[in-house]
Amino acid sequence: MKRKLFALLTAAAVTLTVSAAALDTVKLDGYGGSEAPDQLSISNVVSTKELAPAGAGGSYAPTNLYTAEAPCTLTLTDDYLSFDVIPCQLVNGEWTYVSGLDEAGYENWFDALPVTDVAGCTAASVNPEEADGPIEHLKGCSVTLSEPGVYFVMARYAALDGQVVAWIDVGGNHVTAAPADGADQPAADPQPAAAKAATAKVLVDGKEVAFNAYEIAGNNYFKLRDLAMALNGSAKQFEVSWDEAAGAIALTSGKAYTAVGGELAQGDGADKAAKASTASVSKDGAALSLAAYEIADNNYFKLRDVAKAFDIGIGWDDATQTITVDTAASYIEG
């Protein structure tokens, strides 16, 4: 089935049965109780918001937005369901699939997601009687979303009318949803995260470089301009600029970085509160999905995400508590 792009504020012609509490598990039924009691569960849900009146839009447009804390796990609760989990980006006021995924032809859409942990969704879970049809999974297939961002989710029985569809905002602060009457409504309060001042030493091509970086949930986050400055003159250098037309931070690979002042400035060494960033980023003209947080009015991006985008080797020496950045090496998942 050819997927379409979805507008965030469009309603769904489907009734969802929801039972939830703060930081609890939501269970969704898109078939009015005619099949299993529910088809999909969502963990660590903070809040549920109705985006628009039910029945006002197309059949694949979600009614509800679920704000969740990471890690948020999506689990099929019945057998023989197709399962799509797709990262989204804001384009001209609408949330749509991340550029390039809508025509990629993945067997499962979550196969394309480096930011998810997939369990129990292997070929062994495919209905053997439907080898030539849509891939169907058994109860227990799960995808864990550990990175902030907005995701479109759908679970459906291939042979039946109906589906479970939802928007999930991991980390909060990504979506401003209009109420049913179309009046303006402020964005939901962001879900804060603890940003610990990073103490690890960083070696860039063997040379120690001091960064003002933070550790969040076990991952290191850096400013793009700091990284660009440190990598300037190397084989993996990149420029950082602002694309006014696209409203996005533009990264250009292979181009020397132009300093603007303030790069590699040292912080106060104190821990900070962080909230999920809404900054849009492109690389060489294509949208780029990077985990990011806003800390003290600056955007910090996950080091491994940036390294993967530019194929930069990243290592860790536990004995010396040192991060190594090697522009002569290729990125390896770790």
Side-chain angles (χ1 to χ4, degrees):
M1 178 182 68
K2 181 179 176 64
R3 272 42 173 213
K4 299 185 295 183
L5 300 181
F6 299 89
L8 176 62
L9 302 180
T10 307
V14 60
T15 300
L16 300 182
T17 299
V18 180
S19 60
L23 290 182
D24 206 345
T25 297
V26 170
K27 293 186 177 181
L28 306 182
D29 171 27
Y31 293 84
S34 63
E35 302 301 320
D38 46 76
Q39 292 79 39
L40 180 71
S41 68
I42 308 171
S43 74
N44 282 352
V45 173
V46 176
S47 64
T48 302
K49 181 179 296 183
E50 185 175 346
L51 299 182
S59 62
Y60 293 122
T63 298
N64 287 340
L65 165 72
Y66 299 92
T67 299
E69 289 188 0
C72 172
T73 299
L74 317 173
T75 305
L76 295 183
T77 56
D78 197 21
D79 291 331
Y80 302 140
L81 288 158
S82 64
F83 192 19
D84 296 319
V85 182
I86 312 172
C88 297
Q89 60 188 355
L90 188 63
V91 177
N92 296 326
E94 295 182 351
W95 285 98
T96 61
Y97 300 157
V98 167
S99 177
L101 289 186
D102 52 339
E103 301 295 340
Y106 293 97
E107 288 187 346
N108 301 287
W109 285 76
F110 49 73
D111 287 345
L113 297 180
V115 297
T116 61
D117 176 29
V118 180
C121 302
T122 63
S125 298
V126 176
N127 180 358
E129 298 179 0
E130 297 290 341
D132 296 329
I135 292 180
E136 300 172 10
H137 299 284
L138 301 182
K139 180 178 179 179
C141 170
S142 68
V143 174
T144 298
L145 305 174
S146 57
E147 303 295 346
V150 173
Y151 300 83
F152 170 80
V153 179
M154 178 166 66
R156 61 190 300 267
Y157 301 106
L160 299 176
D161 291 334
Q163 62 278 318
V164 169
V165 284
W167 291 101
I168 300 178
D169 184 356
V170 177
N173 198 40
H174 292 94
V175 177
T176 301
D181 61 5
D184 292 336
Q185 178 173 312
D189 291 337
Q191 301 300 313
K196 182 180 179 181
T199 58
K201 182 167 65 176
V202 183
L203 297 180
V204 178
D205 291 338
K207 178 182 177 181
E208 184 173 355
V209 179
F211 289 90
N212 179 28
Y214 292 89
E215 181 183 330
I216 301 174
N219 293 298
N220 292 291
Y221 287 77
F222 290 68
K223 294 180 185 178
L224 288 174
R225 288 190 176 276
D226 285 356
L227 288 171
M229 176 66 86
L231 296 171
N232 210 20
S234 74
K236 304 294 175 65
Q237 67 181 5
F238 62 90
E239 175 68 296
V240 180
S241 59
W242 176 251
D243 186 337
E244 185 70 32
I249 300 167
L251 309 180
T252 306
S253 58
K255 187 176 180 180
Y257 175 68
T258 303
V260 297
E263 290 86 353
L264 297 173
Q266 296 305 293
D268 58 12
D271 297 345
K272 299 283 195 300
K275 62 181 180 181
S277 173
T278 59
S280 297
V281 183
S282 68
K283 174 180 174 282
D284 300 331
L288 183 63
S289 180
L290 301 175
Y293 284 91
E294 183 181 327
I295 305 170
D297 297 324
N298 289 295
N299 291 307
Y300 287 76
F301 295 82
K302 188 176 176 182
L303 176 61
R304 282 197 167 272
D305 282 0
V306 178
K308 183 173 183 177
F310 290 96
D311 193 29
I312 299 169
I314 297 292
W316 170 251
D317 186 329
D318 192 57
T320 61
Q321 296 289 290
T322 300
I323 299 168
T324 57
V325 179
D326 187 354
T327 60
S330 293
Y331 179 80
I332 298 175
E333 293 284 357

